[in-house]
Amino acid sequence: MGTLVHRGYAAIRRAGAITPANPAGHRFGRLGEGATIAFPPGAIFGEPWIEIGDHTLVGERVSLSCGMNPGLDLGPGSILRIGRGCSIGRGSHIVAHQSIDIGEDVFTGPYVYITDQNHVYDDPDIPIGRQWPRNSPVSIGSGSWLGAGAIILPGTTLGRQCVVAAGAVVRGTFPDHSVVAGVPAKLVRGYTPELGWHNPAGPIPLNRRANAS
């Protein structure tokens, strides 16, 4: 009996996955060749403004949304763009209102949260949830890795080949080959051809001072 249950669930997962070959995939602005959104999906709406590149895997229960709620006209161009060869970990949320760009070969752990919109608290007399939120574009460079539970806040730009530690809360601009960690996230390691991987705020390692001089 157990074997039948597992086989049946595997068949349901295959049938329920969203791919370019089934009607659910046709709703997207682009769902590339070999791309898959695993079953069961999370909340998904605003598909015409979502582009997903070739051979990208979106894990189970990942929410992808554009706009405040379904049924809005968000204009002629895409808002959420995920490049080719990415892997988005299960339970993650990517919530776009203005512009989120995720490069190629970006991998995330589970339960990552990425958004380009945040609540404001400018008026101290109005409940924060009733104040009009503010948007700021997000860009995540190709080849980057986002650890489990990382939060990418509006206005963040990550360069290529960056590492975001698990649980980090990231806001700001970080260059290529950055390692960021903490709450709020800070640059803890960087890379240059002269020094290799190093702590930008710390002393030059002894075995590399001669090469740097």
Side-chain angles (χ1 to χ4, degrees):
M1 179 63 72
T3 300
L4 291 175
V5 170
H6 289 297
R7 286 180 179 173
Y9 185 64
I12 290 170
R13 292 182 64 193
R14 288 193 297 272
I18 300 173
T19 71
N22 61 38
H26 299 163
R27 295 199 295 264
F28 286 80
R30 181 173 185 269
L31 189 59
E33 179 183 355
T36 301
I37 299 174
F39 180 87
I44 298 177
F45 60 84
E47 294 97 322
W49 294 274
I50 300 174
E51 296 184 9
I52 299 175
D54 299 347
H55 307 293
T56 283
L57 173 63
V58 178
E60 297 177 7
R61 298 180 175 85
V62 171
S63 293
L64 303 171
S65 64
C66 288
M68 291 282 191
N69 50 265
L72 299 177
D73 183 351
L74 302 176
S78 60
I79 293 175
L80 170 56
R81 294 166 291 276
I82 303 174
R84 64 173 290 130
C86 295
S87 178
I88 308 300
R90 68 184 182 277
S92 294
H93 290 64
I94 306 177
V95 182
H97 298 268
Q98 181 179 357
S99 177
I100 294 179
D101 270 300
I102 298 174
E104 298 182 352
D105 299 306
V106 173
F107 284 62
T108 87
Y111 308 111
V112 167
Y113 184 77
I114 304 170
T115 186
D116 63 357
Q117 184 179 91
N118 210 346
H119 292 286
V120 299
Y121 49 89
D122 299 336
D123 192 324
D125 298 319
I126 297 177
I128 293 168
R130 297 188 183 279
Q131 297 189 46
W132 195 254
R134 187 173 293 130
N135 300 332
S136 189
V138 169
S139 177
I140 298 171
S142 295
S144 294
W145 161 256
L146 281 57
I151 298 173
I152 310 298
L153 294 174
T156 294
T157 297
L158 293 173
R160 296 177 61 257
Q161 304 283 118
C162 288
V163 175
V164 175
V169 178
V170 183
R171 185 197 300 273
T173 299
F174 298 90
D176 295 350
H177 304 104
S178 293
V179 179
V180 298
V183 181
K186 297 180 180 180
L187 181 65
V188 296
R189 296 192 81 190
Y191 178 87
T192 64
E194 298 79 15
L195 300 177
W197 291 101
H198 65 284
N199 179 357
I204 298 174
L206 286 173
N207 64 341
R208 291 189 177 146
R209 287 181 183 170
N211 294 331
S213 60

